[in-house]
Amino acid sequence: MDDQDLLAAVREDFAGVRLNTAAETILADGGSLRRKRNRRRVYGAGVTALAAVAAISGVTLASGTSGASGTQDAQLTAWTVQKDADGTIDVTIHDLLNLTGLQQKLAADGAPAEVVSDAHYPAACVDHQAMTADMASVITNGPAVPNGYAFVIHPAGIPSGSKLLLDVTHLTTVTSSGVTTTGGGVGGQLWGFGASQVGGVSVSAGMGLVYASSNC
Amino acid sequence: MDTDAAAFAEFYTGASDDCLRVVLATVRDRQTAEDLVAEAFARAWASWPKVSRHPAPRAWVVRTALNTHRSWWRRHRREVVVAEVGATAAEPAAEPAGELMAAVLALPLRQRQVVACRLFLDLDTAQTAQTIGIAPGTVTAHLNRAISTLRGDFAHLAYKE
């Protein structure tokens, strides 16, 4: 028996593995996803327009800010990043906007990070070997916040030569609470850390440690 | 059903089983694999103008499913609280299978992924590497090791018969 015969026999053994979901169901789910994505784009465009208006009127509206809300009359914020005196960084995420800005802000505050959404990991990112052991010293829970997710980054805990991989997403259902560990990961190894909060939270985040490189 | 939907439905009908087999070979849990592949196809439909022009749309679906699987929330059943950080997440239970299918599922992760991509998606070395996120130079080595192991398993099974 040659390799082709062997592989044909394996293929035959998998023949009973079939996806039974109807195409109509997939079309409906994909259509819903597309409409949600379009609404997000409209919302993002609205934020941009409001920011332009705010720039004229003197009100601060942003897709991301670096501090507390202050005394502005109104604030529309996708995320906030605030560095504390002890070097820790408080992060709250409400929406998946201006993630490049979030990544730049975290780096400026001493937490090198690769920020992605919906599990779109750069292919060049490789799990850091210390991830599972050291994540507890890198990320801890933040306070409960309505319609968002809050966590604290401890830059001192990020091993030399590594960076955070932060994956944010919209969720419809969250079944667990608190910062958690779990399997998975960029390279198919242990992912190390995830985070979520129970009840009505539309945004959540997963974190890992990856080797810092020119492509990641 | 409009033209695009009909084209997508045809793609889905022809590709969904093979995509499921590749993802099953990775995650080794039938229900998880079905959820991942169904979601990946929904995303494919949501991005159909792009996916329909992709050189390997089946690989796009598998890549999306595997990326989603890497996300922590897909494994919430095995989460542990922060006080237990350091505990290793349990491996999913192996899919009940025929003996050769079981032999594939028992291979190391990269080997079973490479075999599945070659068998069910008919991907070349570069496409396989891109789909599962490994260096192209390692694909052939993984495939050769996998075939060698399966050959031994198959000989054993043939002997038993």
Side-chain angles (χ1 to χ4, degrees):
Chain A
M1 169 176 285
D2 61 20
D3 289 351
Q4 292 307 314
D5 293 335
L6 173 64
L7 293 176
V10 172
R11 185 173 175 81
E12 190 176 327
D13 230 24
F14 274 84
V17 176
R18 295 179 175 276
L19 189 62
N20 295 316
T21 308
E24 289 73 17
T25 302
I26 301 294
L27 286 165
D29 290 348
S32 173
L33 191 62
R34 189 184 298 179
R35 287 190 292 276
K36 190 182 297 183
R37 187 182 297 164
N38 289 340
R39 280 200 299 272
R40 194 186 307 168
R41 286 195 184 117
V42 170
Y43 173 69
V47 169
T48 303
L50 284 170
V53 172
I56 296 171
S57 64
V59 177
T60 299
L61 300 168
S63 58
T65 77
S66 58
S69 59
T71 58
Q72 283 83 17
D73 292 336
Q75 185 162 11
L76 186 58
T77 307
W79 48 261
T80 63
V81 173
Q82 182 163 6
K83 188 170 185 177
D84 298 324
D86 63 357
T88 60
I89 302 170
D90 300 326
V91 181
T92 303
I93 298 176
H94 294 285
D95 209 339
L96 315 188
L97 297 173
N98 191 16
L99 297 182
T100 302
L102 173 58
Q103 180 173 307
Q104 291 168 345
K105 176 59 185 165
L106 290 175
D109 282 352
E114 187 77 23
V115 182
V116 301
S117 64
D118 295 329
H120 291 115
Y121 308 123
C125 292
V126 176
D127 292 347
H128 192 277
Q129 62 182 7
M131 182 167 67
T132 56
D134 293 348
M135 284 303 289
S137 61
V138 178
I139 301 281
T140 53
N141 278 318
V145 294
N147 299 315
Y149 176 67
F151 55 94
V152 180
I153 298 173
H154 303 260
I158 300 175
S160 176
S162 71
K163 66 197 297 190
L164 277 175
L165 181 62
L166 177 60
D167 177 13
V168 293
T169 187
H170 282 287
L171 294 180
T172 53
T173 305
V174 177
T175 57
S176 60
S177 63
V179 176
T180 61
T181 61
T182 183
V186 173
Q189 305 302 310
L190 285 176
W191 169 259
F193 239 69
S196 64
Q197 290 177 317
V198 171
V201 178
S202 60
V203 177
S204 198
M207 302 89 165
L209 280 174
V210 292
Y211 287 101
S213 69
S214 58
N215 297 319
C216 177
Chain B
M1 190 178 287
D2 64 26
T3 308
D4 277 352
F8 175 80
E10 184 179 353
F11 165 62
Y12 174 75
T13 301
S16 57
D17 292 344
D18 281 335
C19 290
L20 175 62
R21 289 159 189 158
V22 176
V23 175
L24 174 61
T26 297
V27 304
R28 300 195 293 191
D29 180 85
R30 178 67 175 266
Q31 188 58 53
T32 300
E34 289 186 4
D35 290 347
L36 290 168
V37 173
E39 179 163 337
F41 271 103
R43 292 187 185 199
W45 172 234
S47 302
W48 187 238
K50 179 180 75 174
V51 177
S52 62
R53 293 194 300 271
H54 194 280
R58 293 181 182 212
W60 188 97
V61 169
V62 168
R63 171 89 180 168
T64 298
L66 296 183
N67 278 345
T68 304
H69 179 248
R70 287 165 190 147
S71 305
W72 62 272
W73 58 86
R74 279 287 170 189
R75 294 194 170 190
H76 60 80
R77 287 169 298 175
R78 287 177 288 280
E79 287 174 350
V80 293
V81 297
V82 65
E84 296 171 316
V85 164
T88 302
E91 276 283 304
E95 166 81 358
E99 290 182 283
L100 267 179
M101 183 171 156
V104 171
L105 297 181
L107 292 170
L109 173 66
R110 293 309 188 198
Q111 291 184 30
R112 59 183 193 263
Q113 284 182 318
V114 167
V115 165
C117 283
R118 183 60 57 93
L119 264 181
F120 303 120
L121 301 185
D122 199 26
L123 299 181
D124 62 23
T125 297
Q127 290 171 325
T128 298
Q130 189 173 19
T131 301
I132 62 177
I134 62 175
T138 63
V139 169
T140 303
H142 285 308
L143 184 62
N144 289 340
R145 287 193 200 109
I147 288 177
S148 175
T149 302
L150 291 173
R151 180 179 289 285
D153 290 337
F154 193 85
H156 173 68
L157 293 175
Y159 178 77
K160 279 201 324 185
E161 290 170 359

